[in-house]
Amino acid sequence: MYDCIVVGGGLIGMMTARQLTLEGQSVLVLDQGQLGAESSWAGGGILSPLYPWRYPQAVSELAAYSHQHYPALAQALEAESGIDPQWTQSGLLILDVEEKQQAHAWAKQFGWKLDDIEQASELLALEPNLGKQADQALWMPEVAQVRNPRLVKSLKASLQHHQVEFAEQEAVSGIDIEQGRVVGVNTQHRKISAAKVVITAGAWSASLLQQAGIRVNVEPVRGQMLVFKAVPELVKHTILHQGHYLIPRRDGRVLMGSTLEYVGFNKAITEAAREELIACAQALVPALAQYEVEKHWSGLRPGSPTGVPFIGSSPATEGLYFNCGHFRNGVILGLASVDLLVDLMLGRIPAIDPAAYAVGESPLPGVMKKT
Ligand SMILES: Cc1cc2nc3c(=O)[nH]c(=O)nc-3n(C[C@H](O)[C@H](O)[C@H](O)COP(=O)(O)OP(=O)(O)OC[C@H]3O[C@@H](n4cnc5c(N)ncnc54)[C@H](O)[C@@H]3O)c2cc1C
């Protein structure tokens, strides 16, 4: 009998298991595939929403909290695992901005540094290899990034370091509920008992929760990305233009992302997306034409209607918790959402007000009440 079973070992599930273990709980993580091999591996790792002022306040609050705590998490993970997630403050340069006033008001409210760049020369001083896309920009120097494959590897190794039990290739087929409370889960092979169950199954969360009468509006949204094997300093900062972005890694590789496709649980990559991403990358930084595309991949984001994740407990089933639907921002929002959920699970007063993320009595945007 475990204190808690975590269903889904993406970055949200692994961070949850790590936190609960540090609090003295016995935890088992179950994943239908390999830990950290889905969206959490596929993402770009920008530690800010894109055009963050366009999101609801509930997203900005999680982002601000995570922004503050990420450097310490990255350090702790490296110490525990020997793997550096490469937290790097490479800044975010936003080239197409029509809502300057809104952006500045948002930055002031949530404590982010945001500067106007009003001359092409200033822009080129920051990013010398930029093609001509803009004469003006917004610059957020504090925005950092992590390298997703390294983040998930370090999380998995940290779980091993803390002797957290996990099982891979073991899908949870059902949540075991008796007399209004959770007693464990069922997998293809066995029945496992636990006092609490947390659903962190990313894009797959809705069908699991539906079995317990909870309907969260989470659906897979495919994102394709590719990486150029470039050289350090060719691209210096994360650059955003018309929804597409370049992310420079420490070793000189440059990621280009991403598509936003509602095609169900289909992870295929397409030639059309490859061409679109290469064209966008070369328009932003023409010198990228000289470098080979090393890899092209896709991942299934856990899409939610407004980008606000669902975090909390079942109103009807004692011991059942969820943390899902982080959509395009699970890497940045994940840390805060996990701290919030763990506080709720342990009966502590959370640092962030949980009301906006709950599947509750009052109709919230994107949340369908139990039917
Ligand atoms: C192309 C792309 C770019 C992105 N860029 C960024 C970015 O720059 N910044 C940012 O913050 N976010 C970004 N994201 C979003 C971010 O990656 C996700 O929001 C985040 O990874 C979601 O984490 P998760 O743990 O909820 O889901 P996942 O990583 O998908 O993990 C869910 C896990 O649950 C398991 N599972 C599912 N069903 C079951 C079951 N029945 N039993 C057991 N296990 C199960 C799956 O196997 C999987 O391992 C990006 C995503 C993509 C695809």
Side-chain angles (χ1 to χ4, degrees):
M1 165 97 170
Y2 296 91
D3 291 326
C4 182
I5 291 175
V6 174
V7 180
L11 71 88
I12 309 289
M14 287 195 281
M15 283 186 189
T16 307
R18 177 178 173 274
Q19 282 291 96
L20 288 171
T21 302
L22 291 174
E23 298 288 348
Q25 304 269 300
S26 62
V27 182
L28 171 68
V29 185
L30 294 167
D31 199 288
Q32 65 183 4
Q34 284 184 310
L35 298 189
E38 293 290 348
S39 190
S40 299
W41 169 86
I46 305 170
L47 294 179
S48 165
L50 308 175
Y51 313 102
W53 52 88
R54 294 180 187 168
Y55 281 88
Q57 170 145 342
V59 167
S60 296
E61 279 172 7
L62 293 176
Y65 178 99
S66 293
H67 173 62
Q68 217 185 331
H69 293 90
Y70 240 104
L73 175 68
Q75 267 179 17
L77 288 178
E78 187 178 0
E80 291 162 18
S81 69
I83 300 163
D84 178 3
Q86 296 194 352
W87 180 92
T88 307
Q89 207 157 34
S90 45
L92 178 64
L93 195 54
I94 306 170
L95 299 186
D96 55 326
V97 176
E98 281 146 28
E99 320 113 289
K100 274 194 186 173
Q101 266 189 341
Q102 205 185 331
H104 280 289
W106 168 86
K108 199 169 163 204
Q109 184 183 358
F110 292 99
W112 291 80
K113 193 164 163 36
L114 184 141
D115 298 324
D116 285 319
I117 294 186
E118 290 178 330
Q119 312 245 337
S121 57
E122 223 184 318
L123 193 52
L124 281 177
L126 259 181
E127 202 57 64
N129 292 313
L130 203 59
K132 186 159 169 52
Q133 295 283 343
D135 294 328
Q136 297 196 348
L138 286 178
W139 169 231
M140 297 179 66
E142 299 164 330
V143 172
Q145 56 158 295
V146 286
R147 202 160 168 167
N148 287 45
R150 288 180 152 266
L151 177 69
V152 292
K153 263 193 210 158
S154 70
L155 276 165
K156 184 172 175 179
S158 154
L159 295 189
Q160 286 164 327
H161 169 82
H162 292 296
Q163 299 181 331
V164 180
E165 280 185 58
F166 59 81
E168 299 182 306
Q169 315 294 346
E170 187 164 5
V172 169
S173 50
I175 304 164
D176 220 353
I177 299 169
E178 282 176 12
Q179 294 170 345
R181 68 158 300 121
V182 147
V183 293
V185 299
N186 299 305
T187 76
Q188 283 162 316
H189 317 296
R190 51 183 174 152
K191 211 175 167 65
I192 315 170
S193 306
K196 291 175 181 163
V197 169
V198 187
I199 305 298
T200 53
W204 295 263
S205 299
S207 58
L208 279 168
L209 284 166
Q210 196 158 9
Q211 294 177 20
I214 300 170
R215 291 181 64 203
V216 291
N217 201 346
V218 175
E219 64 179 321
V221 183
R222 185 169 73 188
Q224 299 189 50
M225 292 192 89
L226 47 81
V227 61
F228 291 88
K229 200 168 179 194
V231 291
E233 299 294 302
L234 184 86
V235 177
K236 293 160 90 78
H237 310 289
T238 298
I239 308 171
L240 174 60
H241 182 60
Q242 293 180 349
H244 287 97
Y245 49 83
L246 287 173
I247 311 170
R249 297 304 198 205
R250 285 187 196 171
D251 63 6
R253 286 183 167 82
V254 177
L255 271 65
M256 178 76 211
S258 61
T259 62
L260 202 62
E261 303 166 83
Y262 289 80
V263 290
F265 288 96
N266 172 1
K267 279 204 301 181
I269 52 171
T270 64
E271 195 49 39
R274 183 187 170 93
E275 282 169 16
E276 174 197 329
L277 292 171
I278 291 175
C280 288
Q282 292 177 359
L284 277 171
V285 173
L288 280 169
Q290 297 161 30
Y291 298 93
E292 69 165 296
V293 172
E294 190 178 31
K295 194 173 167 73
H296 171 197
W297 68 92
S298 80
L300 298 175
R301 306 177 186 92
S304 50
T306 59
V308 178
F310 305 108
I311 311 163
S313 57
S314 160
T317 306
E318 204 183 324
L320 177 60
Y321 296 84
F322 46 84
N323 191 2
C324 56
H326 299 71
F327 205 176
R328 306 193 78 173
N329 300 305
V331 187
I332 176 64
L333 306 186
L335 186 162
S337 72
V338 167
D339 279 8
L340 169 54
L341 186 72
V342 168
D343 280 343
L344 294 174
M345 291 177 74
L346 299 180
R348 300 189 297 224
I349 296 171
I352 299 163
D353 183 351
Y357 317 99
V359 178
E361 293 305 308
S362 57
L364 293 164
V367 180
M368 289 171 283
K369 283 180 65 184
K370 187 180 163 200
T371 51

